[in-house]
Amino acid sequence: DIQMTQSPSTLSASVGDRVTITCRASESISSWLAWYQQKPGKAPKLLIFKASTLQNGVPSRFSGSGSGTEFTLTISSLQPDDFATYYCQQYNSYSLTFGGGTKVEIK
Amino acid sequence: EVQLVESGGGLVQPGGSQRLSCAASGFTFSSYWMSWVRQAPGKGLEWVAQIKQDGSEKHYVDSVKGRFTISRDNAENSLYLQMNSLRAEDTAVYYCARVRYGSGSIWDHWGQGTLFTVSS
């Protein structure tokens, strides 16, 4: 199975900060990577797929980049609604696998 | 509006069985792959199983192969997960999720989740 490793596991930031989360795959997954946001007690929400394509309705302050084994999720200017946990997910092959998550906390 | 509503959660003893259900509405259920994804308390997300539109193709994470069976009833707009030989590590919130059309195995709509606990 392809292992997905996210860093950092926790990130403390302030409103207005630029935030970057990294996701690494144990082998090449081309651009078959998605990012999700999850708030406590809620289901995940799809943000980005195919490494850099924004899901409908997702604010443009979110962006994704990368290919192969290294990917990033960037929030250009952190908003109060963005404090949450973020997960990457590879869909290059079964088993579909997630990263361990990055919790974005208020500094 | 797309809605996915899970049911069947609760408490089961180790070694027991349970069936989870997901009622879908607001979209043409028979046109979409569907999945189950779970999240153990305080932990990350884990994909469990996925089924093709007509039920002819199914995929599972290794840890549930031979114990769990995903199925669907397109006439009833329902997705199921039959879970047998349950273990403590199966304890989680189980989400029903719709695979985004034409985009590969990613999920654009999720249910609210149902908590399932395996304990004696």
Side-chain angles (χ1 to χ4, degrees), chain B residues 1-107:
Chain B
E1 179 194 2
V2 172
Q3 286 201 337
L4 298 168
V5 180
E6 302 93 340
S7 60
L11 176 64
V12 174
Q13 291 191 341
S17 298
Q18 186 78 333
R19 188 176 84 156
L20 302 182
S21 300
C22 171
S25 61
F27 66 103
T28 305
F29 180 72
S30 59
S31 295
Y32 288 83
W33 284 74
M34 296 294 296
S35 300
W36 290 97
V37 178
R38 68 184 178 184
Q39 187 168 35
K43 303 297 184 182
L45 300 167
E46 180 182 41
W47 167 76
V48 175
Q50 188 154 293
I51 186 169
K52 195 176 179 179
Q53 292 94 328
D54 61 359
S56 62
E57 189 174 330
K58 303 176 185 181
H59 300 274
Y60 300 91
V61 68
D62 283 350
S63 60
V64 309
K65 281 180 184 174
R67 300 190 301 123
F68 288 13
T69 301
I70 189 172
S71 62
R72 65 192 296 161
D73 184 336
N74 288 340
E76 295 292 326
N77 292 333
S78 293
L79 178 72
Y80 304 102
L81 186 67
Q82 177 65 44
M83 305 185 291
N84 300 329
S85 302
L86 285 160
R87 307 167 180 166
E89 54 265 36
D90 295 319
T91 294
V93 173
Y94 283 74
Y95 294 101
C96 164
R98 187 184 84 168
V99 174
R100 191 181 192 277
Y101 192 86
S103 302
S105 295
I106 58 175
W107 305 284

